[in-house]
Amino acid sequence: VRWDDARGSAASLLSTSKREVVACVNGEAPPGRGRGFKMQDEASGVEVTITDVTETCDDVDPMRVASLAKCLKEGTSCDALIFELPKLWIIPDPAWRARHASIGLYPGSFWMGFFKSWGAVESAEVFFRTAPKGSVEPKVHLVVKYQSRESMKMCLTFLHDRYL
């Protein structure tokens, strides 16, 4: 299980009554643990309510297939993919501040290895000032350009509409 804080504003950070998180579960949820399930842990004072469940692994879901086909059709002249990610996923130092608008992704990094799963990467650049502000957690744009269009399409096909 992996989770991220999903509160999008400073006001929601200050709220002590509610906290919204996004959780990612590898595999299926246990029986009876779907939308509407509630659980309380009195020791930590936490109450959990599952408000929504989204399956991200159904490759033949008609809505996903249609959405992906639309992206591929609209992007015939595109030569790179843009990912909006939390800055800490790329640079895991909360005190680190960008001195430049962008930097190249380190060739031996986890992320470069991840993107090479679909083919040779021509370039990968992290942009610090282009992602929308407003979220509590700073975001960056990661632009990945593959040496071949087929590799780019394969990456898009695999990652489209999925929670990383």
Side-chain angles (χ1 to χ4, degrees):
V1 175
R2 190 176 91 66
W3 68 275
D4 288 306
D5 199 328
R7 297 176 289 179
S9 69
S12 64
L13 269 177
L14 300 174
S15 171
T16 57
S17 61
K18 288 187 178 182
R19 183 173 187 177
E20 184 177 336
V21 298
V22 174
C24 181
V25 178
N26 189 4
E28 302 219 4
R33 301 292 204 281
R35 183 179 295 155
F37 173 77
K38 292 184 180 199
M39 186 173 125
Q40 198 165 14
D41 179 17
E42 293 191 25
S44 61
V46 173
E47 179 180 274
V48 175
T49 304
I50 298 176
T51 59
D52 193 20
V53 177
T54 303
E55 173 61 63
T56 64
C57 292
D58 187 359
D59 288 334
V60 294
D61 173 59
M63 301 252 320
R64 184 176 187 280
V65 170
S67 176
L68 184 56
K70 181 180 176 199
C71 287
L72 291 169
K73 184 178 179 184
E74 290 174 352
T76 56
S77 63
C78 295
D79 66 352
L81 298 173
I82 301 174
F83 299 90
E84 188 173 292
L85 303 169
K87 183 188 84 160
L88 288 174
W89 287 15
I90 306 295
I91 301 168
D93 178 359
W96 188 89
R97 300 287 178 250
R99 287 181 275 190
H100 303 283
S102 68
I103 60 171
L105 188 63
Y106 183 67
S109 71
F110 165 83
W111 285 101
M112 185 63 88
F114 176 72
F115 287 113
K116 284 181 177 178
S117 299
W118 294 281
V121 173
E122 185 174 310
S123 64
E125 187 109 0
V126 182
F127 291 85
F128 301 102
R129 299 180 184 136
T130 57
K133 304 262 188 282
S135 173
V136 173
E137 186 174 35
K139 305 267 190 202
V140 297
H141 282 143
L142 174 56
V143 178
V144 179
K145 182 175 182 180
Y146 284 93
Q147 287 182 3
S148 80
R149 181 159 175 77
E150 288 308 307
S151 294
M152 182 185 77
K153 286 168 52 178
M154 191 128 60
C155 179
L156 175 66
T157 301
F158 189 86
L159 296 179
H160 179 71
D161 261 359
R162 297 226 163 105
Y163 182 70
L164 289 178

